[in-house]
Amino acid sequence: MSRQLGAARHGRAALSLGAAALMALTACTSTKNDDGSGGGGTGGTPAKALTIGTTDQVTSLDPAGSWDAGSGTIEDEVYATLLSPRNGSSDVKPNLASAIRLTGPKEYTVTLKPGLTFANGHELTSSDVVFSFNRQLRIADKNGPSSLLYNLASVAAPNPGTAVFTLKSANDTLFPQVLSTAAGYIADEQVFPADTILDDTAVVAAKPWDGPYAISTYQKNSLVSFTANSGYKGLLGTPKTSHVQLKYYTDASNLKLDVQQGTIDAVYRTLTVTDLQDLATKKDLTVHTGSGNGIRFIVFNFKTQPYGSATKQADPAKALAVRQAVADSVDRAQLADQVYKNTFQPLYGSVPDGITGATPALKALYGDKKGGPDKAAAAKALSDAGVPTPVTLNLQYNTDHYGSSSADEYALIKSQLEATGLFKVKLQSTEWAQYGKDRVADLYPLYQLGWYADYLDADDYLASFYAANSWVNNGYSDPAVKALIQREETETDPAARTALIQQAQDKVAASVPLLPLLQGSTAIVTRAGVTGVPAKLDSAYQFRWAELGKR
Amino acid sequence: MTTLVQEAPGAVGRTGGATGSGLLRYLVIRFLLIIPTVLVLVSVVFFLMHASGDPITTAFGDRLTPQQLHAKLHQAGYDRPLLTQYLDYLRSLGHGDFGRTATDNQAVSRMLRTYGAATAELAAYAMAVALAVGVPLGMVAAAHRDRAPDVALRLFAILNYATPVFFLGLLLKLVFAVWLGWLPTSGRSGIDVQLELENQTSTTGIYLLDAVRSGDGSAVADVLRHAVLPGVALGLLVAGVLLRLVRTNLIGTLSAEYVEAARSRGVGPFRLVTRHATRPALIPVVTVLGLQVAGLLGGAVLTETTFEWKGLGFELAHYLTVRDYAAVQGIVALFAVVVAVTNFLVDVAAALIDPRVRY
């Protein structure tokens, strides 16, 4: 007995020693910096660096190779456009440009500010402007924003300070807005190849920055640090915070914990609704919600959906009936309430409410005609077209781009559809990096997508989805809709233009190439002491780092 | 009696066993066995990966025109016969060239160096935890054979082994990071420390070493704080195995004749365990530790994902999801080499410790 007690005593001593060492380690290292950033203080790193956390992923830092939120978050800060929207407004103002003039029905002339340079010291001239736009059109990457340049015929540089844009159609009043989008980043022609995408490492090494910030350290999808670009002469002026760090998370719960504990100062995309509700109750955190220019929808691939053109049982009438029956069956209000706690609102048209021309075109056509679902209507649509039930739907969604609540959203959609007895839904999710490629390769018959406006105009919700070379790329093509879009883009009478926008929506609603579900905006979370984020995000949903400060 | 004590397993080599040339031959054979082991693993991975198409088409097929795609395939050599590609791949591997990742076009060898260091660091922490927990607790359990502490510790070992590592990780995070707020929730270091370490002119990629080299005490402390939870989560996975192994071996050696002899000479229980029984009992532990390396690498995938510990496990999970075959192949090849080399080193250690295992 005494032997065993002796050994036990030694065992306990060892355990106690280990526990004490762990506690000592914890105690001596748990102090946080004054700025609440935690971790040890380091030489050479500014104390007031602002750290933003995100679950988004970067696809590419090449402006021609990406058009997604994750890449755009960085690109918006390190590249600049000729024109840019002011905060809280959809009006665009000169950014790298000093002036823009309509010099003909199909011609815009842009004058550059003098003495513009990239962060690498290269001069920024109209030659770079011509190069940038030609490059977008030439590469026309399916995941890039070149489709926004649908009306650009050519661009010329009569002198180093002037660029002249010639359009395909006259009276395009939207073109200045297009210049402010991701398709309008000015790229350094001495850095980027004219016809291929440059990889991130090469981009970072060459320092082709002309935006408010320059990348100083780049660990892709891990940690990126930025310093104010002293050469930037754009609309936003000198950033209020000289150092910003962007930390990437794969797990939204880690992101939530870190903002809660003060490891990061702000969250920009994406936390779950439950997390946001929880964080909203914490006194040292602010949850900023936005108005609803973001939309969520299901896309039908016209080739591969049931009875799609590339399937063995191709039948346009039956394919349409399936789309209509799905539209009859989904309960948007339930999605908004149960999944998003009404932080998102039901959406019944392609254009979100509040934007001129928006109309709830699907409401009167589908379900109970009041916005609710109707099993009988769905059954009738299918039986009228001779579609045997249940119809199998292969539905894809994504969890790392539109927030992890997407899993709940699509589980509920599956449940709603199957509750009618008319559908058998096979759900699958894929990471965004692959999702973007797969969807344009026609691998997904039905799939989730979302959209934030590049510019606050109904056209951005129509041309991007239904015009020629649309970003959605689902095989939908209706010459009448295209004609309507083309006409609204060049219609100068506001009332006539609104009517055209509504006609386009009504026409599209009848064939349901995509099914609008929800509208709203992803929230931003900041810790106390972070300034520069409007308490209520404006309709343009702008989160510009140059405006951010940290007390 | 004295003779019996001297003939404990650790001393056998001095009285018999193989000659120096026998040891050398054994080591050479064991070393040469690394080659077929790695070759088989790498080949299996290569052919499995290529069975579902080439990485270029998978990654870019939808974004390039057929001409561009063909040019890219030709440039990367994916339009050649599979056997030629296989032989070239092996040749490249022989030169340490793992190719480039298909999705983000970075050198796989660079990726392996960067993230391999992170995984090696985590594995080292885990092994330290496993030894620190498993060996002493195994000794305690053996000393209390079939009594309450022994039963409790065996239950602890079984629970450890049976609990999925990600679940344990989440549990530890919930208690020590969320409820108590003692430790960070994720990452290898604080953000400022990460930037400081990554910006050093010469880095090993092992944060603790880099932090020590930087001379910044707070950076060292920060790195250690971040290591505690993932290290414990992964380490406990192995600790359970060690606990049971040490207990079993120790019980065996405690009942050996030479130990009984020592006991009869009046050697105290603590000295009996630590001085006479532990060393021979630990010899099999060395072998098992080698085998546990493969388990650690597997566990690292889940631990790194849970704690956002950006190492090879984290990257493997990512690249598998985006179907980047070049990256996956590289990581798996490295894992194969690590497991094979570790087992070789274990064999060497075992041979040096106990000459009975030699040929």
Side-chain angles (χ1 to χ4, degrees):
Chain A
M1 177 64 123
S2 63
R3 272 180 247 155
Q4 288 163 345
L5 279 176
R9 205 159 40 236
H10 287 293
R12 277 199 299 274
L15 275 176
S16 304
L17 188 65
L22 181 63
M23 294 297 289
L25 175 68
T26 302
C28 75
T29 60
S30 63
T31 45
K32 287 187 175 178
N33 295 340
D34 291 340
D35 62 358
S37 61
T42 60
T45 306
K48 288 285 184 183
L50 191 121
T51 305
I52 300 164
T54 185
T55 57
D56 276 337
Q57 299 279 295
V58 176
T59 306
S60 169
L61 287 186
D62 188 318
S66 58
W67 192 17
D68 57 83
S71 309
T73 298
I74 294 183
E75 289 176 342
D76 280 346
E77 303 301 330
V78 298
Y79 299 121
T81 48
L82 296 172
L83 307 174
S84 179
R86 290 180 304 164
N87 262 2
S89 166
S90 58
D91 295 341
V92 290
K93 293 287 176 188
N95 191 23
L96 293 180
S98 62
I100 178 166
R101 289 172 298 133
L102 195 59
T103 47
K106 292 185 178 179
E107 188 179 278
Y108 279 97
T109 299
V110 174
T111 309
L112 296 181
K113 286 175 180 169
L116 294 174
T117 57
F118 293 97
N120 54 22
H122 298 161
E123 275 188 68
L124 192 163
T125 68
S126 56
S127 176
D128 294 294
V129 174
V130 171
F131 170 80
S132 303
F133 286 91
N134 284 340
R135 180 170 186 266
Q136 283 282 6
L137 292 171
R138 184 169 182 179
I139 293 175
D141 191 288
K142 281 183 179 174
N143 285 314
S146 64
S147 61
L148 287 166
L149 303 175
Y150 55 86
N151 199 22
L152 179 62
S154 65
V155 55
N159 63 60
T162 307
V164 178
F165 294 88
T166 303
L167 307 183
K168 292 174 186 166
S169 309
N171 304 319
D172 184 352
T173 53
L174 287 173
F175 191 71
Q177 301 265 17
V178 171
L179 290 181
S180 73
T181 67
Y185 292 131
I186 306 305
D188 185 347
E189 67 177 322
Q190 295 181 60
V191 169
F192 291 94
D195 53 2
T196 53
I197 303 295
L198 192 61
D199 72 77
D200 290 358
T201 314
V203 173
V204 172
K207 299 183 172 60
W209 321 124
D210 50 8
Y213 283 96
I215 293 175
S216 46
T217 307
Y218 185 75
Q219 295 164 44
K220 188 170 186 174
N221 294 330
S222 173
L223 180 63
V224 184
S225 66
F226 302 80
T227 51
N229 178 10
S230 57
Y232 172 68
K233 294 182 178 174
L235 184 66
L236 298 171
T238 305
K240 288 189 173 66
T241 303
S242 59
H243 291 76
V244 177
Q245 294 152 357
L246 185 60
K247 184 171 164 56
Y248 290 85
Y249 292 80
T250 50
D251 183 353
S253 64
N254 285 330
L255 176 62
K256 182 210 172 194
L257 290 174
D258 273 9
V259 74
Q260 207 171 333
Q261 295 193 331
T263 307
I264 57 175
D265 302 303
V267 172
Y268 181 68
R269 296 168 50 89
T270 304
L271 292 173
T272 64
V273 174
T274 318
D275 285 347
L276 289 170
Q277 283 183 321
D278 182 37
L279 293 177
T281 64
K282 313 289 180 196
K283 65 177 181 181
D284 52 349
L285 293 169
T286 306
V287 177
H288 308 262
T289 51
S291 58
N293 77 69
I295 65 171
R296 308 285 179 91
F297 49 91
I298 294 173
V299 177
F300 294 90
N301 186 310
F302 275 48
K303 293 181 192 162
T304 56
Q305 71 150 104
Y307 306 102
S309 61
T311 62
K312 285 179 183 170
Q313 298 174 307
D315 185 329
K318 287 181 178 173
L320 174 63
V322 169
R323 297 197 297 276
Q324 290 174 329
V326 172
D328 284 321
S329 304
V330 293
D331 186 344
R332 297 169 177 82
Q334 192 182 44
L335 289 173
D337 180 37
Q338 286 192 10
V339 179
Y340 292 101
K341 313 298 178 198
N342 294 316
T343 55
F344 276 76
Q345 302 299 317
L347 176 67
Y348 299 98
S350 306
V351 182
D353 301 342
I355 289 182
T356 306
T359 179
L362 284 94
K363 204 172 196 172
L365 291 176
Y366 300 108
D368 63 3
K369 314 294 190 273
K370 295 173 192 166
D374 187 338
K375 192 191 297 186
K380 184 173 185 312
L382 293 174
S383 66
D384 286 354
V387 176
T389 56
V391 179
T392 299
L393 302 175
N394 291 301
L395 181 57
Q396 275 280 346
Y397 70 98
N398 164 272
T399 53
D400 63 334
H401 194 67
Y402 300 113
S404 46
S405 296
S406 293
D408 300 329
E409 181 185 338
Y410 276 78
L412 184 54
I413 290 171
K414 171 183 163 76
S415 162
Q416 289 175 354
L417 292 172
E418 291 188 336
T420 62
L422 303 170
F423 300 102
K424 174 76 188 157
V425 180
K426 292 180 180 173
L427 266 186
Q428 251 194 327
S429 68
T430 307
E431 270 201 357
W432 183 250
Q434 188 61 36
Y435 194 86
K437 297 168 193 164
D438 286 352
R439 74 168 188 88
V440 295
D442 300 324
L443 295 184
Y444 304 154
L446 280 79
Y447 57 96
Q448 173 195 30
L449 274 187
W451 183 258
Y452 281 99
D454 298 279
Y455 49 93
L456 275 182
D457 189 282
D459 177 70
D460 197 45
Y461 295 89
L462 296 177
S464 306
F465 303 160
Y466 312 120
N469 302 319
S470 87
W471 169 76
V472 171
N473 194 50
N474 63 335
Y476 169 74
S477 178
D478 185 333
V481 172
K482 286 179 186 171
L484 284 167
I485 291 171
Q486 201 169 15
R487 282 173 59 197
E488 61 84 4
E489 284 168 345
T490 53
E491 175 57 61
T492 51
D493 175 31
R497 181 163 185 264
T498 300
L500 289 168
I501 287 169
Q502 290 178 341
Q503 283 173 42
Q505 288 172 84
D506 288 341
K507 197 151 187 58
V508 161
S511 50
V512 214
L514 52 86
L515 183 64
L517 294 174
L518 298 163
Q519 60 181 341
S521 280
T522 310
I524 291 169
V525 182
T526 55
R527 288 192 63 80
V530 174
T531 59
V533 184
K536 184 87 176 167
L537 290 169
D538 57 60
S539 56
Y541 192 67
Q542 283 152 354
F543 182 61
R544 291 167 150 167
W545 299 355
E547 308 276 336
L548 301 179
K550 185 177 174 184
R551 286 197 299 269
Chain B
M1 285 297 180
T2 307
T3 309
L4 279 172
V5 173
Q6 283 174 343
E7 286 179 359
V12 171
R14 288 193 293 272
T15 57
T19 61
S21 63
L23 173 65
L24 187 65
R25 193 185 62 181
Y26 169 72
L27 294 182
V28 169
I29 291 170
R30 296 300 299 165
F31 181 76
L32 291 176
L33 277 175
I34 292 176
I35 297 168
T37 307
V38 171
L39 192 65
V40 167
L41 284 169
V42 164
S43 304
V44 167
V45 173
F46 179 90
F47 287 110
L48 280 179
M49 288 290 178
H50 281 71
S52 53
D54 69 84
I56 300 283
T57 306
T58 306
F60 298 106
D62 54 304
R63 301 172 65 182
L64 302 174
T65 63
Q67 293 78 13
Q68 287 173 319
L69 184 64
H70 179 75
K72 218 169 173 63
L73 286 171
H74 182 69
Q75 190 184 6
Y78 285 117
D79 57 347
R80 295 167 304 154
L82 190 60
L83 190 61
T84 313
Q85 289 183 52
Y86 171 66
L87 293 174
D88 281 353
Y89 176 67
L90 290 185
R91 200 171 298 125
S92 300
L93 278 187
H95 290 92
D97 178 9
F98 289 77
R100 299 186 79 81
T101 59
T103 48
D104 49 8
N105 194 34
Q106 59 170 322
V108 173
S109 53
R110 185 172 178 274
M111 185 260 290
L112 294 179
R113 272 199 306 277
T114 307
Y115 297 110
T119 299
E121 185 171 12
L122 177 60
Y125 293 136
M127 202 53 98
V129 168
L131 288 169
V133 173
V135 173
L137 290 188
M139 291 164 70
V140 172
H144 293 82
R145 182 181 182 182
D146 296 334
R147 299 171 65 85
D150 179 32
V151 173
L153 286 170
R154 279 154 66 193
L155 188 65
F156 168 74
I158 291 169
L159 278 175
N160 257 342
Y161 195 70
T163 307
V165 68
F166 70 90
F167 178 75
L168 183 61
L170 287 174
L171 204 62
L172 289 171
K173 199 157 70 170
L174 187 69
V175 174
F176 292 100
V178 180
W179 290 349
L180 299 173
W182 291 353
L183 295 165
T185 54
S186 60
R188 293 176 65 195
S189 71
I191 293 165
D192 291 343
V193 171
Q194 186 178 351
L195 284 173
E196 180 197 8
L197 299 180
E198 296 289 344
N199 286 335
Q200 282 180 15
T201 47
S202 165
T203 60
T204 61
I206 295 175
Y207 275 15
L208 186 59
L209 282 183
D210 291 338
V212 168
R213 288 170 62 193
S214 75
D216 184 344
S218 60
V220 174
D222 180 63
V223 168
L224 287 173
R225 283 185 68 229
H226 281 80
V228 172
L229 292 184
V232 168
L234 187 54
L236 286 182
L237 184 75
V238 179
V241 178
L242 287 191
L243 193 159
R244 289 180 63 83
L245 190 69
V246 168
R247 175 190 173 277
T248 308
N249 289 340
L250 209 48
I251 287 171
T253 50
L254 279 171
S255 60
E257 284 184 12
Y258 72 94
V259 176
E260 286 298 334
R263 187 177 287 125
S264 68
R265 281 187 289 115
V267 177
F270 178 69
R271 193 176 169 81
L272 205 63
V273 168
T274 56
R275 193 65 183 265
H276 295 274
T278 301
R279 191 183 171 211
L282 287 183
I283 291 172
V285 172
V286 175
T287 311
V288 171
L289 275 182
L291 296 174
Q292 288 302 312
V293 167
L296 276 182
L297 292 175
V301 176
L302 293 171
T303 311
E304 290 180 4
T305 308
T306 305
F307 289 97
E308 308 259 351
W309 185 282
K310 294 186 176 170
L312 281 182
F314 186 91
E315 291 300 306
L316 180 61
H318 164 70
Y319 283 118
L320 271 171
T321 317
V322 298
R323 302 179 218 164
D324 190 326
Y325 300 154
V328 171
Q329 235 166 245
I331 294 171
V332 175
L334 184 66
F335 279 5
V337 171
V338 168
V339 171
V341 170
T342 307
N343 279 298
F344 166 71
L345 294 176
V346 165
D347 287 344
V348 172
L352 291 175
I353 294 169
D354 186 355
R356 289 175 303 177
V357 303
R358 295 178 202 166
Y359 287 110

